[in-house]
Amino acid sequence: MPPKRLIFAFLIYAILSGPIARGLSDGLNLNFLATLVVLQSSTLMLMLWLAQKRGWWDAVDTSTITEDSLQKILRNMLAGLAVFLSGLILTIRFGSDLRVSLLASGLTIAGGGWLLHATSRYLVWFAATQQNPALMDERMRANQRISEKWAFVGCVNTAVILGFIDFNGWVPLSGATVGFSTAIAGILAGLFSQYFLEWKDG
Amino acid sequence: MPEGLSNTLREHRQHRKMTQAQLAEAVSVSRKTINTIENGVFTPSTILALKLARVFDCTVEDLFILE
């Protein structure tokens, strides 16, 4: 279980995400949103720096983490994200049908819970790497660098494709749609490539 | 593994009757890393190569051969 201060810092991070998401959907002032994003990113950076400096990671129980845990955690994150996004798309697409809407909401909540659990396990895994450097050795760092590149490629490609679609007027897209899609594509590409590389080395 | 680079890590390990996990623990890396080095998938850093050579009490050139 991560220490309380770490949970508190993540809560601040999550709470700041709410107004950003709400602002994106309501089309709020861009300056206001940019300030929130900067605040949110600063909180995350400060939290990670403090966790490193104060040795909070050492207080985390990492006895359940083995060297094969990362692959399993990444698989769960991908699966959770896939279920979450499926539920979200179904909710938006078939929101008018009550039964489908209920099923889709259930899927979204289940996927979100799955993703949250996997993310908390990822944090525990990160804490384990601070206690045992062998869990994050040079091969895994090399894999991480490759997956960061794939995440960047995913972001750029998605932004270019969506920008091209909007530029040609095929489908009118808002900046929020492009930004959200780019972020999701980057996360998916990064997670999937890291999972694939770990699986390949397995 | 880059073209022309091979290694004798598996032979050295088996000669010492060590498992991949034991060797991994001796040089502070994961078992998967030892496996990928043995299979020629991953090229270790100089530091790791020197650590491996120290475990087997040999030179790096005995472990890694540029053909």
Side-chain angles (χ1 to χ4, degrees):
Chain A
M1 187 72 180
K4 279 178 190 160
R5 279 174 293 189
L6 199 60
I7 294 173
F8 181 68
F10 265 101
L11 267 178
I12 296 173
Y13 183 72
I15 287 165
L16 281 169
S17 303
I20 291 174
R22 180 71 195 272
L24 284 173
S25 62
D26 286 357
L28 283 180
N29 184 302
L30 269 180
N31 289 334
F32 172 72
L33 285 177
T35 311
L36 278 179
V37 170
V38 169
L39 259 177
Q40 190 193 33
S41 315
S42 316
T43 312
L44 182 66
M45 297 311 288
L46 185 72
M47 181 192 77
L48 290 175
W49 177 76
L50 274 174
Q52 197 83 31
K53 187 143 181 90
R54 300 271 177 100
W56 293 349
W57 299 119
D58 298 336
V60 181
D61 176 20
T62 57
S63 55
T64 53
I65 298 289
T66 65
E67 64 179 49
D68 295 320
S69 296
L70 179 64
Q71 196 179 325
K72 194 178 161 191
I73 291 166
L74 288 171
R75 190 172 58 223
N76 280 331
M77 284 174 93
L78 276 168
L81 194 61
V83 173
F84 176 73
L85 287 176
S86 310
L88 208 61
I89 291 164
L90 276 175
T91 311
I92 295 165
R93 187 76 180 80
F94 303 104
S96 52
D97 188 325
L98 184 66
R99 273 189 302 183
V100 179
S101 181
L102 275 174
L103 180 75
S105 305
L107 268 181
T108 312
I109 293 166
W114 197 349
L115 184 60
L116 271 177
H117 179 257
T119 309
S120 73
R121 290 288 296 161
Y122 189 85
L123 278 178
V124 175
W125 173 81
F126 184 79
T129 63
Q130 303 295 300
Q131 295 168 17
N132 179 12
L135 283 171
M136 187 62 182
D137 59 21
E138 57 187 67
R139 178 191 57 81
M140 291 172 90
R141 275 198 297 274
N143 282 349
Q144 203 171 38
R145 277 195 293 274
I146 296 169
S147 57
E148 278 165 10
K149 281 175 192 161
W150 276 110
F152 179 72
V153 169
C155 282
V156 172
N157 274 2
T158 310
V160 168
I161 290 166
L162 292 180
F164 190 73
I165 288 171
D166 190 43
F167 182 74
N168 282 297
W170 294 335
V171 182
L173 297 169
S174 67
T177 308
V178 175
F180 188 67
S181 308
T182 303
I184 293 286
I187 293 168
L188 272 174
L191 282 178
F192 188 77
S193 57
Q194 199 175 3
Y195 171 71
F196 173 75
L197 290 166
E198 283 303 315
W199 170 79
K200 186 172 71 68
D201 288 348
Chain B
M1 186 73 74
E3 197 180 339
L5 186 64
S6 61
N7 71 73
T8 56
L9 196 62
R10 180 172 283 132
E11 290 76 10
H12 274 84
R13 181 176 60 77
Q14 286 172 346
H15 185 253
R16 291 278 180 113
K17 292 186 171 57
M18 286 175 96
T19 63
Q20 285 184 342
Q22 285 168 336
L23 179 58
E25 200 182 336
V27 292
S28 299
V29 294
S30 63
R31 183 199 53 78
K32 274 186 189 181
T33 301
I34 299 297
N35 187 45
T36 50
I37 295 172
E38 283 187 358
N39 291 326
V41 175
F42 176 68
T43 307
S45 66
T46 313
I47 294 172
L48 182 53
L50 286 165
K51 280 183 182 174
L52 289 166
R54 186 184 289 172
V55 169
F56 295 121
D57 198 21
C58 63
T59 63
V60 174
E61 285 84 353
D62 291 333
L63 285 178
F64 297 94
I65 302 133
L66 195 60
E67 289 164 340

